[in-house]
Amino acid sequence: MAPMSRSPSLPAGPSQRMLRVGELIRRTLSEILAQGGLHDPELDGVSITVGEVRVTPDLKRATAYVLPLGGNNRESILAALRRNKPEIRHQIGREMTLKHVPDLKFEIDETFDRIEATRRMFSDERVRRDLEDAPE
């Protein structure tokens, strides 16, 4: 019997290497931001959550999904991170043992907004009623 082949319609997920490198960058970036290692007044004293870092298959680019505590000043924090990208890459390179530090891109982490929207949707009386009336 021939081994089953992967369906071409199913996208291949990230490799273990991509996940591992992304998580290492996430942890290192979190530490850099928590320690206040960047000399930018807009980032001083600001708590920034790094929710996820996604790395491209060639490990040349990484997107860090970040959110300032409370979600305030998103755009100014994003601009400050983008401005400090060379320094951030340098610090990540010092802390990690990668041949090449990926080019970083910063985006706002919308996960918490989606979770809240889903929570509001499920608390809606009409949706709860539909769920309760649904056959099992």
Side-chain angles (χ1 to χ4, degrees):
M1 180 182 246
M4 292 179 62
S5 64
R6 182 176 202 114
S7 171
S9 63
L10 293 175
S15 70
Q16 286 298 313
R17 185 172 184 209
M18 290 166 60
L19 293 171
R20 190 172 58 247
V21 169
E23 180 59 19
L24 285 171
I25 292 172
R26 188 194 70 75
R27 285 186 195 161
T28 305
L29 179 58
S30 293
E31 289 173 13
I32 290 167
L33 295 172
Q35 294 169 356
L38 301 172
H39 305 290
D40 189 311
E42 280 195 71
L43 297 174
D44 282 346
V46 177
S47 288
I48 300 172
T49 301
V50 183
E52 179 182 11
V53 174
R54 292 184 191 161
V55 182
T56 58
D58 62 4
L59 304 179
K60 290 186 179 184
R61 288 179 301 282
T63 303
Y65 294 90
V66 298
L67 187 66
L69 186 65
N72 300 327
N73 304 322
R74 293 176 179 203
E75 293 308 315
S76 64
I77 296 298
L78 205 54
L81 289 169
R82 290 173 178 160
R83 228 184 5 257
N84 288 281
K85 181 170 74 167
E87 177 63 22
I88 293 169
R89 284 187 72 214
H90 176 73
Q91 289 189 32
I92 288 173
R94 276 197 333 236
E95 298 294 322
M96 295 178 61
T97 55
L98 289 175
K99 267 187 185 175
H100 304 285
V101 177
D103 183 41
L104 291 174
K105 178 179 171 187
F106 295 98
E107 297 292 334
I108 293 297
D109 188 349
E110 303 288 344
T111 304
F112 299 109
D113 293 337
R114 286 195 303 267
I115 290 171
E116 184 57 34
T118 303
R119 198 175 284 137
R120 279 194 310 271
M121 180 184 68
F122 280 122
S123 68
D124 183 284
E125 182 61 37
R126 293 171 296 175
V127 173
R128 280 203 321 250
R129 187 176 47 240
D130 288 346
L131 289 173
E132 291 169 0
D133 293 342
E136 291 185 30

